[in-house]
Amino acid sequence: MTDLAAVKAALKTQAVETPSWAYGNSGTRFKVFAQQGVPRSPKEKLDDAAQVHAVTGVAPTVALHIPWDKVDGPDGYAGLAKHAEERGLRLGAINSNTFQDDDYRLGSICHPDAAVRRKAVGHLLECVDIMDATGSKDLKLWFADGTNYPGQDDIRARQDRLAEGLAEVYARLGEGQRMLLEYKLFEPSFYTTDVPDWGTAYAHCLKLGPKAQVVVDTGHHAPGTNIEFIVATLLREGKLGGFDFNSRFYADDDLMVGAADPFQLFRIMYEVVRGGGFTADVAFMLDQCHNIEAKIPAIIRSVMNVQEATAKALLVDRGALADAQAAGDVLAANAVLMDAYDTDVRPLLREVREEMGLDADPLAAYRRSGWAEKIVAERVGGQQAGWGA
Amino acid sequence: MTDLAAVKAALKTQAVETPSWAYGNSGTRFKVFAQQGVPRSPKEKLDDAAQVHAVTGVAPTVALHIPWDKVDGPDGYAGLAKHAEERGLRLGAINSNTFQDDDYRLGSICHPDAAVRRKAVGHLLECVDIMDATGSKDLKLWFADGTNYPGQDDIRARQDRLAEGLAEVYARLGEGQRMLLEYKLFEPSFYTTDVPDWGTAYAHCLKLGPKAQVVVDTGHHAPGTNIEFIVATLLREGKLGGFDFNSRFYADDDLMVGAADPFQLFRIMYEVVRGGGFTADVAFMLDQCHNIEAKIPAIIRSVMNVQEATAKALLVDRGALADAQAAGDVLAANAVLMDAYDTDVRPLLREVREEMGLDADPLAAYRRSGWAEKIVAERVGGQQAGWGA
Amino acid sequence: MTDLAAVKAALKTQAVETPSWAYGNSGTRFKVFAQQGVPRSPKEKLDDAAQVHAVTGVAPTVALHIPWDKVDGPDGYAGLAKHAEERGLRLGAINSNTFQDDDYRLGSICHPDAAVRRKAVGHLLECVDIMDATGSKDLKLWFADGTNYPGQDDIRARQDRLAEGLAEVYARLGEGQRMLLEYKLFEPSFYTTDVPDWGTAYAHCLKLGPKAQVVVDTGHHAPGTNIEFIVATLLREGKLGGFDFNSRFYADDDLMVGAADPFQLFRIMYEVVRGGGFTADVAFMLDQCHNIEAKIPAIIRSVMNVQEATAKALLVDRGALADAQAAGDVLAANAVLMDAYDTDVRPLLREVREEMGLDADPLAAYRRSGWAEKIVAERVGGQQAGWGA
Amino acid sequence: MTDLAAVKAALKTQAVETPSWAYGNSGTRFKVFAQQGVPRSPKEKLDDAAQVHAVTGVAPTVALHIPWDKVDGPDGYAGLAKHAEERGLRLGAINSNTFQDDDYRLGSICHPDAAVRRKAVGHLLECVDIMDATGSKDLKLWFADGTNYPGQDDIRARQDRLAEGLAEVYARLGEGQRMLLEYKLFEPSFYTTDVPDWGTAYAHCLKLGPKAQVVVDTGHHAPGTNIEFIVATLLREGKLGGFDFNSRFYADDDLMVGAADPFQLFRIMYEVVRGGGFTADVAFMLDQCHNIEAKIPAIIRSVMNVQEATAKALLVDRGALADAQAAGDVLAANAVLMDAYDTDVRPLLREVREEMGLDADPLAAYRRSGWAEKIVAERVGGQQAGWGA
């Protein structure tokens, strides 16, 4: 039997980090459809994120992306952190970007030219400086590095360069800071990607040391990959640093988490819970692109989807499951898991929210807030935020 | 035994259409890396295409993309056609674009709003007007239409809208004009795509009539799809209108044709030859993006790769193959096919080129021409061509 | 708003056909694990199927597979039909088998040797004879035909042979009889499969005539294929004959329907309902292999999973959905669909069952029936049914 | 420039291990097509393998599969080794089998029941005993272990059991003996597989120690996986133990190596050569199933395909490649690699064979030998070898 009070208590502790870039414009190589009311600055992104946290109560931190969220001027990142704090938020992981300068055409930290590698490592070190300024704990590294054609570069030499660059950045990490290394099957590279799978990320993190951990982006796998297996394995190895949640039907579609395969999301969250990963040591981050839908409501919906999957995972009757597994009763074991999944947890989450002093329906609360109309009216002119410096 | 003289004769008749957009900049959603010397106008694209034809002798036509190649002014498309003719080229297929206006966020010809559909159909009709002006035979239709989320729109209603729009455009086609309908598994839509597979394209073309034909883009299939089977089937049905050649490791990578799986390209060309498709009724077009490599040499290389695959396909000893197939001798039949594939056809193609009065080595000829240096020096300032109006 | 009474009424009319072979042993190429109590004859399979119908109330028919269910002797198929009728069942689709004779090493209806093709067509005609005897309406055709190596046989010639053979069988169909043509991406053929996708099946059925319809086996697609799109398209074309339901993570895993991706099953059932396919004209059949789990409870569970997906599909508020779609409100439209999916329909189905005079919990009812123990005790000796003649 | 003499010298040292089971019958879950002349005993398999080595000169060892190649009686494995030696062969890797006993329905070394795990480990230890008797260096472990349904068993507990069992076997290895751990995406398990990817195999091997190495079966990956990248990575980590070569279009098709994607095979062999893996420390084994084609010629063809890919890999002008890579010249670097691939190396290999005192054409030599007719005539009666004890 599951202890409902404990489930509710756990759900109240949940923290989902939203990404600053999801509040800005995004698209595909074919088109970026601009939307009205999109933030024009990091502070405006935080303003939007504050709305998400206000109605969900479980989105207290915001990931930054450098240089998209680069701030200059007298108060700099301290001012940004203060802006966040005044809105009930904290700044979260710092995401590096070594793919948008012309220099990075053939890679960054793995580039054949040492000067480009130097520049890339310099950027990563600067990101640690920013972490010092913002109090961020995690440096999240995703490298677009790779090649498009067989023979274009030497696969192994690129691994050597990668290891060397990562080591330098690792050495710079301070107490309580971590490096989260993300892997991705492909895109924007189409033949090799220098960190293509969890095994590669794991092998590098293992050599770097305990501050290096693997990040699982749920959209970065080959078709048919069992992601919850990877989650279970990384937790068993003590190497799961966190998630970039989103969902996909085909490639790295970056849709709202839970939109494409809610059962998979539940299975992932079950392995998180089962493996002792539902703690502050595992960062639960979103990484989505809201290309055609309204952005803030989409993020609220995503947070709610994570909550629902988590609630179902927490509801699994683990004693009954263990008994059925030990007995080798395939159908009974599957039924225990499915019983939790088939449960409609929305009433439970409404209760949780009310007990947290929130509206039971975050989307309705957001709609009533008038924020959507306000930003459309006020954010006129200027340069909308997007995937650019 | 294959007749080498006949093979050489066939190779001399080959015509590969290059796409105007491949001469311009392209990239991924993460970055478009600009290159030096990139054309700034449709005429400059034709100038580059003329270089490709000059050294290969088999790239006499250039596909246009509207509005990227839209020309205004007194001489308009007639002037463009004349510019082409003066360089030994002709204008090829007209490619429509119904994905880059803000109106098309939820689709074009399948959009839920009739006004947007009207606009999209209007564009397609305008493309037929351009065909009349340029003398182009083919209207190539690729629709980015689709949805990102389950429930977003009604799958079937979108098919109805598609059928209605296509019918209006079909009715507008003149004598000798064709509509080539392209399918694509996904991207930029991530849940449904309105023409996702050859079956859907085929079903629509069948109802439209004989002027509607299916285009096979070699990068637009699900993993594991047997493309040559589709080619054989469409030829058998009389519905293969042409190809968009490129290659891929993962999704629609749009790499140089033959770069990822040259054996697949050979098998495709074999089915073309075997099915009687090596004629002017099947359009052999490239559709590639040269994101990180030099563009003109990449196109030359692609044309050469198509030639090599074609040469190998023509070299298949079809009598021996038929005998082994009839005998049910699996290994012997496979060996006949592989014998052609394993042949190094580069010497044969060098001969073909020399007999055509060309340099045996097109890439060396291009390098010697000084064109690359010339365009870098001369094309300074202005707006480089890319995926934008 | 959905009309709950109408939903319940619809659910009471549902009919799911179970396959005789699912009651027998099955496995992989590595091992068939025999189970205790497995039927040794077609009649014993029907006895098991009767248990499934007894507790679910919605599994009134049983598909036969020839020759696995071949019966000889004085009363033959009429006796089998009577055996079924006495247990409240009817005999369903006749499934042909042209893959288990040594003659079929290189194919059956597409074999290069006319004698083998003759034999295969003879078998299919015999299946129609059996339909006449059993009163079955549907002839379900799945062909293992294909090739393993490039060049092994001529793709197009095989299509010609396929068309010829199908035409002969089609001509033999009586009034009210149909031919359901199934497609499959691969397995047991590994290079080409002669009916690999819905497009190929559709093209053949179209030429054959109205009695030829396509069957969608949910496990027979390439990764990433949108099955509900195919369902919607085939319904729009009037060519959806039925389903072989099962589920998969990788290939044709033949797991219990709904086990791998319950959200996909819901989306499929939604398209069925939306497209007017929830009628007797579309056959809802299971095609599963219970390799390691108890077979009868697995089938009961599968039937229940189909019921739950159907209930959710029927609960979709189609008016609200249409409004949101027409308004282009991506999130609202998705939310309407998800609201139905997230509903726990198990209480509703318990009500439906009780109103049908059944136990609210079919699996508990089956357990209490003692049938499992009875067949283990009584079915001793003899040859257990499996994938063999 | 490549040194042709060195290439030829290297090719003469090549050793490809053929698997005993490829000489026996195999098939799919649908059908095993028996062939005439198939061996009835391990010794007859060696007799066939000797023919392969006689005509190719590069297949001196034969992998055994226990219990399929279990020998009893007075002279046992020593007698088998002697039989091999008399035919110019040696016994190669010992392949364990923990998937064909009824006990293994829910797994072997990962089974929830300790008694089954004990049995499985006992079998593995017995395999090491056999290695002692045969002088085999490698214990090749492939586990069919996994689950079919979510919840069926505990993913992490299974990893613990796996680690424990492997450790016990590892401790038993003698001097000069290795454990080669194979991974596989799926089949026969359909939800989780306990060693699904190279990362999992690598993590276990790393903890076990230097005698544990990873085996790459070229058919065991998710669609789109870059296998040569894995090869390069494992070589860099000193953890590549060997290959199971075969080829695939879809899943683990086990076709002749090089049949589906010869370019991929070349790229893999290039990474082997480049990474210093073309030595005795990396075992080059075939693992194929010749379901419909003649078995011995298929194995000869496979060996030749490996030779051709190796020859092309050795022909890569590595100096020119390194220069182009260092210069960031994408097209030039790709062209260097492709130049080697496009070369027809069959004349070179004919020379190599003649210099080794062999017929230039191994398949013709085999045909002339009369062996095929001889075994059909002589191997009458008895139980043909296949995938069974």
Side-chain angles (χ1 to χ4, degrees):
Chain A
M1 292 293 292
T2 52
D3 175 349
L4 265 187
V7 168
K8 286 162 75 171
L11 288 168
K12 290 172 189 167
T13 70
Q14 187 156 30
V16 178
E17 182 161 310
T18 70
S20 70
W21 55 96
Y23 299 97
N25 288 321
S26 61
T28 69
R29 62 175 168 150
F30 294 98
K31 173 71 176 174
V32 174
F33 294 103
Q35 296 190 5
Q36 289 186 293
V38 160
R40 286 121 355 133
S41 68
K43 285 185 179 171
E44 286 186 353
K45 294 181 197 174
L46 291 173
D47 294 343
D48 286 358
Q51 303 301 314
V52 174
H53 186 46
V55 297
T56 63
V58 294
T61 60
V62 182
L64 300 185
H65 187 113
I66 307 300
W68 299 344
D69 295 317
K70 201 157 182 172
V71 288
D72 297 315
D75 63 357
Y77 293 101
L80 201 61
K82 183 157 170 287
H83 189 88
E85 194 183 351
E86 289 165 0
R87 280 147 191 81
L89 300 175
R90 293 190 312 280
L91 300 182
I94 301 300
N95 290 257
S96 62
N97 176 325
T98 55
F99 54 87
Q100 286 198 325
D101 285 0
D102 284 326
D103 286 335
Y104 297 138
R105 185 173 56 94
L106 302 179
S108 64
I109 195 172
C110 304
H111 195 286
D113 184 334
V116 179
R117 295 201 297 276
R118 188 70 253 143
K119 171 176 170 172
V121 170
H123 169 72
L124 302 183
L125 295 172
E126 180 198 359
C127 285
V128 185
D129 293 341
I130 294 172
M131 290 168 69
D132 290 341
T134 58
S136 299
K137 189 179 73 168
D138 292 331
L139 173 65
K140 182 136 63 74
L141 303 178
W142 169 66
F143 295 105
D145 286 59
T147 65
N148 274 9
Y149 291 101
Q152 177 186 325
D153 200 359
D154 189 274
I155 293 174
R156 181 159 169 171
R158 292 178 76 94
Q159 288 295 305
D160 293 338
R161 298 169 201 151
L162 175 64
E164 189 184 332
L166 289 176
E168 183 173 347
V169 178
Y170 187 87
R172 165 69 181 81
L173 293 173
E175 198 61 37
Q177 290 181 335
R178 306 191 303 177
M179 166 189 287
L180 303 184
L181 184 57
E182 197 165 331
Y183 58 92
K184 184 175 183 179
L185 180 69
F186 82 101
E187 197 213 19
S189 293
F190 296 127
Y191 168 54
T192 58
T193 294
D194 292 306
V195 190
D197 53 20
W198 79 265
T200 305
Y202 167 79
H204 280 285
C205 287
L206 204 63
K207 284 175 191 157
L208 289 166
K211 291 177 181 172
Q213 299 266 305
V214 180
V215 163
V216 176
D217 183 305
T218 49
H220 287 190
H221 303 84
T225 302
N226 185 322
I227 300 176
E228 59 267 30
F229 185 93
I230 295 173
V231 169
T233 297
L234 286 172
L235 279 169
R236 185 175 175 271
E237 301 284 340
K239 279 295 181 191
L240 179 66
F243 288 94
D244 265 8
F245 279 126
N246 49 57
S247 71
R248 59 169 286 204
F249 288 96
Y250 303 97
D252 186 31
D253 306 344
D254 281 333
L255 301 175
M256 295 190 300
V257 56
D261 190 346
F263 183 43
Q264 182 189 57
L265 180 63
F266 159 73
R267 299 194 311 263
I268 290 172
M269 287 309 303
Y270 173 70
E271 291 304 327
V272 167
V273 169
R274 181 267 176 259
F278 192 56
T279 72
D281 289 340
V282 175
F284 297 89
M285 302 173 281
L286 304 184
D287 180 13
Q288 309 182 154
C289 297
H290 307 294
N291 297 349
I292 61 167
E293 69 271 29
K295 295 172 197 299
I296 298 173
I299 296 171
I300 294 170
R301 177 80 204 214
S302 294
V303 171
M304 293 170 70
N305 286 351
V306 173
Q307 286 182 296
E308 291 175 21
T310 306
K312 291 180 178 192
L314 291 166
L315 283 175
V316 172
D317 185 337
R318 292 179 57 189
L321 183 60
D323 290 348
Q325 290 173 340
D329 189 335
V330 176
L331 291 171
N334 176 245
V336 170
L337 199 78
M338 296 312 294
D339 184 41
Y341 179 68
D342 289 336
T343 301
D344 188 341
V345 295
R346 294 175 298 174
L348 176 73
L349 281 161
R350 283 195 281 269
E351 277 180 47
V352 165
R353 288 185 193 109
E354 284 171 348
E355 290 171 18
M356 291 171 76
L358 300 168
D359 193 296
D361 182 343
L363 282 164
Y366 174 71
R367 275 193 299 271
R368 279 198 317 274
S369 74
W371 185 259
E373 293 76 15
K374 177 181 156 71
I375 56 180
V376 168
E378 296 183 357
R379 293 178 183 167
V380 174
Q383 175 71 40
Q384 290 191 325
W387 287 22
Chain B
M1 291 296 291
T2 52
D3 174 349
L4 266 185
V7 168
K8 287 163 74 172
L11 288 168
K12 289 173 190 169
T13 69
Q14 185 154 32
V16 178
E17 181 161 312
T18 70
S20 70
W21 54 96
Y23 299 97
N25 289 320
S26 60
T28 68
R29 61 174 167 152
F30 294 98
K31 171 73 177 172
V32 174
F33 293 103
Q35 295 189 7
Q36 288 187 292
V38 160
R40 286 128 348 141
S41 69
K43 286 185 179 171
E44 287 187 353
K45 295 180 197 176
L46 291 173
D47 295 342
D48 287 358
Q51 303 301 315
V52 174
H53 186 47
V55 296
T56 64
V58 295
T61 60
V62 182
L64 300 185
H65 186 114
I66 307 300
W68 300 344
D69 295 317
K70 202 157 183 170
V71 287
D72 297 313
D75 65 353
Y77 293 100
L80 200 61
K82 183 156 170 287
H83 189 87
E85 195 184 349
E86 289 165 0
R87 281 150 190 79
L89 299 175
R90 293 190 313 281
L91 301 181
I94 301 299
N95 289 257
S96 62
N97 176 326
T98 56
F99 53 87
Q100 286 198 325
D101 284 1
D102 284 327
D103 285 336
Y104 297 139
R105 185 173 56 93
L106 303 179
S108 65
I109 195 172
C110 304
H111 196 285
D113 183 336
V116 178
R117 297 201 295 277
R118 189 70 254 141
K119 171 176 169 170
V121 171
H123 170 72
L124 302 183
L125 295 172
E126 180 198 359
C127 285
V128 185
D129 292 341
I130 294 173
M131 291 167 69
D132 290 342
T134 58
S136 300
K137 187 179 74 167
D138 292 329
L139 173 65
K140 182 137 62 72
L141 302 177
W142 169 68
F143 296 105
D145 287 58
T147 64
N148 275 6
Y149 290 102
Q152 177 186 326
D153 200 358
D154 189 275
I155 293 174
R156 182 159 169 169
R158 293 179 74 95
Q159 288 296 304
D160 293 338
R161 299 169 200 151
L162 176 64
E164 188 183 333
L166 290 176
E168 183 172 347
V169 178
Y170 187 87
R172 166 67 182 82
L173 293 174
E175 199 61 37
Q177 291 180 335
R178 306 191 302 176
M179 166 190 288
L180 303 184
L181 183 56
E182 193 165 333
Y183 58 90
K184 184 176 183 179
L185 179 69
F186 81 101
E187 196 213 20
S189 294
F190 296 127
Y191 168 54
T192 57
T193 294
D194 291 306
V195 189
D197 53 19
W198 80 264
T200 304
Y202 167 79
H204 280 284
C205 287
L206 204 63
K207 285 175 190 159
L208 288 166
K211 292 177 184 172
Q213 298 266 304
V214 180
V215 163
V216 175
D217 182 306
T218 49
H220 288 189
H221 303 84
T225 303
N226 185 322
I227 299 175
E228 59 267 30
F229 184 94
I230 295 173
V231 169
T233 298
L234 285 171
L235 279 169
R236 185 175 176 271
E237 300 284 341
K239 279 293 183 195
L240 180 66
F243 288 94
D244 266 8
F245 279 127
N246 49 53
S247 71
R248 58 169 289 207
F249 289 96
Y250 304 98
D252 186 30
D253 305 344
D254 281 332
L255 301 175
M256 295 189 299
V257 58
D261 190 346
F263 182 43
Q264 183 190 57
L265 181 63
F266 159 74
R267 299 193 311 263
I268 290 171
M269 287 310 303
Y270 172 71
E271 291 303 327
V272 167
V273 169
R274 182 263 174 261
F278 193 56
T279 73
D281 290 340
V282 175
F284 297 89
M285 302 173 282
L286 303 185
D287 180 13
Q288 308 182 156
C289 298
H290 308 293
N291 298 348
I292 61 166
E293 68 271 28
K295 295 172 199 298
I296 298 173
I299 297 170
I300 295 171
R301 175 82 204 213
S302 294
V303 172
M304 293 170 70
N305 285 352
V306 173
Q307 286 183 296
E308 291 174 21
T310 307
K312 292 180 177 191
L314 291 166
L315 284 174
V316 172
D317 185 338
R318 291 179 57 188
L321 184 61
D323 290 347
Q325 290 173 341
D329 189 336
V330 177
L331 290 171
N334 176 246
V336 171
L337 198 79
M338 295 312 294
D339 185 39
Y341 179 68
D342 289 335
T343 302
D344 187 344
V345 294
R346 294 174 299 174
L348 176 73
L349 281 160
R350 282 194 284 267
E351 280 180 43
V352 166
R353 288 184 194 109
E354 283 170 349
E355 291 171 17
M356 292 171 76
L358 299 168
D359 193 297
D361 181 345
L363 281 164
Y366 174 71
R367 273 192 300 270
R368 278 200 315 275
S369 74
W371 185 258
E373 293 74 18
K374 176 181 157 74
I375 56 179
V376 168
E378 295 183 357
R379 292 177 184 168
V380 175
Q383 175 72 37
Q384 291 192 326
W387 285 23
Chain C
M1 292 296 290
T2 52
D3 175 350
L4 265 186
V7 169
K8 286 162 78 171
L11 289 168
K12 289 172 190 169
T13 70
Q14 186 155 33
V16 178
E17 181 161 309
T18 70
S20 70
W21 54 96
Y23 299 98
N25 288 321
S26 60
T28 69
R29 62 174 168 151
F30 295 99
K31 172 72 176 173
V32 174
F33 294 103
Q35 296 190 7
Q36 288 187 292
V38 160
R40 282 118 3 129
S41 68
K43 286 186 179 170
E44 288 187 352
K45 294 180 195 173
L46 291 172
D47 294 343
D48 287 357
Q51 302 301 313
V52 174
H53 187 45
V55 297
T56 64
V58 294
T61 60
V62 182
L64 299 186
H65 185 113
I66 306 300
W68 299 344
D69 295 318
K70 201 157 183 170
V71 287
D72 297 314
D75 63 356
Y77 294 100
L80 200 62
K82 184 157 169 287
H83 189 87
E85 195 185 351
E86 289 166 0
R87 281 149 190 79
L89 300 174
R90 292 190 313 281
L91 300 182
I94 301 299
N95 289 257
S96 62
N97 175 327
T98 55
F99 54 86
Q100 286 197 325
D101 285 0
D102 284 326
D103 285 335
Y104 297 139
R105 186 172 55 94
L106 302 179
S108 64
I109 195 172
C110 304
H111 196 286
D113 182 336
V116 178
R117 296 202 295 277
R118 189 69 254 142
K119 171 177 168 170
V121 170
H123 169 73
L124 303 182
L125 296 172
E126 181 199 358
C127 285
V128 185
D129 293 341
I130 294 172
M131 291 168 70
D132 290 341
T134 57
S136 299
K137 188 179 73 169
D138 292 331
L139 174 65
K140 182 137 62 74
L141 302 178
W142 169 67
F143 296 104
D145 286 59
T147 64
N148 275 7
Y149 291 101
Q152 177 186 326
D153 200 359
D154 190 275
I155 293 173
R156 182 158 169 172
R158 293 179 74 95
Q159 287 296 305
D160 293 338
R161 299 169 200 153
L162 176 65
E164 189 184 333
L166 289 176
E168 184 172 348
V169 178
Y170 187 87
R172 166 66 183 83
L173 292 173
E175 199 60 38
Q177 290 181 335
R178 305 191 302 176
M179 166 190 286
L180 303 184
L181 184 57
E182 195 164 332
Y183 58 91
K184 185 176 181 178
L185 178 68
F186 83 101
E187 199 214 20
S189 294
F190 296 126
Y191 169 54
T192 59
T193 293
D194 292 305
V195 190
D197 53 21
W198 80 265
T200 305
Y202 167 79
H204 280 283
C205 286
L206 205 63
K207 284 174 191 159
L208 289 166
K211 290 178 182 171
Q213 299 264 305
V214 180
V215 163
V216 175
D217 182 307
T218 49
H220 287 190
H221 303 85
T225 303
N226 185 323
I227 300 176
E228 59 268 29
F229 184 94
I230 295 173
V231 169
T233 298
L234 286 171
L235 279 169
R236 184 174 177 272
E237 301 284 339
K239 278 294 181 193
L240 180 66
F243 288 95
D244 265 8
F245 279 128
N246 50 54
S247 72
R248 61 168 288 206
F249 288 96
Y250 303 97
D252 187 30
D253 305 343
D254 281 333
L255 301 175
M256 296 190 298
V257 57
D261 190 345
F263 183 44
Q264 182 190 57
L265 181 63
F266 159 75
R267 299 193 311 263
I268 290 171
M269 287 309 305
Y270 173 70
E271 291 305 326
V272 167
V273 169
R274 183 261 174 263
F278 192 57
T279 72
D281 289 340
V282 175
F284 297 90
M285 302 173 282
L286 305 184
D287 180 13
Q288 309 181 157
C289 298
H290 308 295
N291 298 350
I292 61 166
E293 69 271 28
K295 295 172 197 299
I296 299 174
I299 297 170
I300 294 171
R301 176 80 203 216
S302 294
V303 171
M304 293 170 70
N305 286 351
V306 174
Q307 286 183 295
E308 291 174 21
T310 307
K312 292 180 178 190
L314 291 166
L315 283 175
V316 172
D317 185 338
R318 292 179 57 189
L321 184 61
D323 290 347
Q325 289 172 342
D329 189 335
V330 177
L331 291 171
N334 176 246
V336 171
L337 198 78
M338 295 312 293
D339 185 39
Y341 179 68
D342 289 336
T343 301
D344 188 345
V345 295
R346 293 175 299 174
L348 177 73
L349 282 161
R350 281 194 282 269
E351 279 180 44
V352 165
R353 289 186 193 108
E354 284 171 348
E355 290 171 18
M356 292 170 76
L358 299 168
D359 193 296
D361 181 344
L363 281 164
Y366 174 71
R367 273 193 300 271
R368 278 198 317 275
S369 74
W371 185 259
E373 294 75 16
K374 177 182 158 74
I375 56 179
V376 168
E378 295 183 356
R379 292 177 183 169
V380 174
Q383 176 72 39
Q384 290 191 328
W387 285 23
Chain D
M1 291 295 289
T2 52
D3 174 350
L4 265 187
V7 169
K8 287 161 77 170
L11 289 168
K12 289 172 191 170
T13 70
Q14 186 156 31
V16 178
E17 182 160 309
T18 70
S20 69
W21 54 96
Y23 298 97
N25 288 320
S26 60
T28 69
R29 61 175 169 150
F30 294 99
K31 172 72 176 174
V32 173
F33 293 103
Q35 296 190 6
Q36 288 186 294
V38 161
R40 284 118 3 130
S41 68
K43 285 185 180 171
E44 287 186 354
K45 294 180 196 172
L46 291 173
D47 294 343
D48 286 359
Q51 303 300 315
V52 174
H53 186 46
V55 297
T56 63
V58 295
T61 60
V62 182
L64 300 185
H65 186 114
I66 306 301
W68 299 344
D69 295 318
K70 201 157 182 171
V71 288
D72 298 315
D75 64 356
Y77 293 101
L80 200 62
K82 186 158 168 286
H83 189 88
E85 195 185 349
E86 289 166 0
R87 281 148 190 81
L89 300 174
R90 293 190 313 281
L91 301 181
I94 300 299
N95 290 256
S96 63
N97 175 326
T98 56
F99 54 87
Q100 286 196 324
D101 285 359
D102 284 326
D103 286 335
Y104 297 139
R105 185 173 55 93
L106 302 179
S108 64
I109 196 172
C110 304
H111 196 287
D113 183 334
V116 178
R117 297 201 295 275
R118 189 69 254 144
K119 171 177 169 171
V121 171
H123 170 72
L124 303 183
L125 295 173
E126 181 200 358
C127 285
V128 185
D129 294 340
I130 294 172
M131 291 167 70
D132 290 340
T134 57
S136 299
K137 188 179 74 170
D138 292 330
L139 173 65
K140 182 137 63 76
L141 303 177
W142 169 65
F143 296 105
D145 287 59
T147 64
N148 274 7
Y149 291 102
Q152 176 185 325
D153 200 359
D154 189 275
I155 293 173
R156 181 159 170 171
R158 293 178 75 94
Q159 287 296 305
D160 293 338
R161 298 170 201 150
L162 176 64
E164 189 184 333
L166 289 176
E168 183 173 348
V169 178
Y170 187 86
R172 166 67 183 82
L173 293 174
E175 199 60 36
Q177 291 181 335
R178 305 191 303 176
M179 166 189 286
L180 303 184
L181 184 57
E182 195 165 332
Y183 58 91
K184 184 175 182 179
L185 179 69
F186 82 100
E187 197 212 18
S189 293
F190 296 127
Y191 168 54
T192 58
T193 294
D194 292 306
V195 190
D197 53 19
W198 79 266
T200 304
Y202 167 78
H204 280 284
C205 287
L206 204 62
K207 284 174 190 160
L208 288 167
K211 291 177 184 173
Q213 299 265 306
V214 179
V215 163
V216 175
D217 183 306
T218 49
H220 287 189
H221 303 84
T225 302
N226 185 321
I227 299 175
E228 60 268 30
F229 184 93
I230 295 173
V231 169
T233 298
L234 286 172
L235 278 169
R236 185 174 176 272
E237 300 283 340
K239 279 293 182 193
L240 180 65
F243 288 94
D244 265 9
F245 279 127
N246 50 57
S247 71
R248 60 170 287 204
F249 288 96
Y250 303 98
D252 186 31
D253 305 345
D254 281 331
L255 301 175
M256 296 189 299
V257 57
D261 189 346
F263 183 43
Q264 181 189 58
L265 181 63
F266 159 74
R267 300 193 310 263
I268 290 172
M269 287 310 304
Y270 173 70
E271 290 304 326
V272 167
V273 169
R274 181 264 175 262
F278 193 56
T279 72
D281 289 340
V282 174
F284 296 89
M285 302 173 282
L286 304 184
D287 180 13
Q288 308 182 158
C289 299
H290 308 294
N291 297 349
I292 61 167
E293 69 272 29
K295 294 171 200 297
I296 297 173
I299 297 171
I300 294 170
R301 176 80 204 214
S302 294
V303 170
M304 293 169 70
N305 285 352
V306 173
Q307 286 182 296
E308 291 174 22
T310 306
K312 292 180 179 191
L314 290 166
L315 284 175
V316 172
D317 184 339
R318 291 180 57 189
L321 183 61
D323 289 347
Q325 290 173 340
D329 189 335
V330 176
L331 291 171
N334 177 246
V336 171
L337 198 78
M338 296 312 292
D339 184 39
Y341 179 67
D342 288 336
T343 302
D344 188 343
V345 294
R346 294 175 299 175
L348 176 72
L349 281 161
R350 283 195 281 268
E351 278 180 45
V352 165
R353 289 186 194 108
E354 284 171 349
E355 290 171 19
M356 292 170 76
L358 300 168
D359 193 294
D361 182 343
L363 282 164
Y366 175 71
R367 275 193 299 270
R368 280 198 315 274
S369 74
W371 185 260
E373 294 75 17
K374 177 181 156 75
I375 57 179
V376 168
E378 295 183 357
R379 293 176 184 169
V380 174
Q383 175 73 39
Q384 289 191 328
W387 287 23

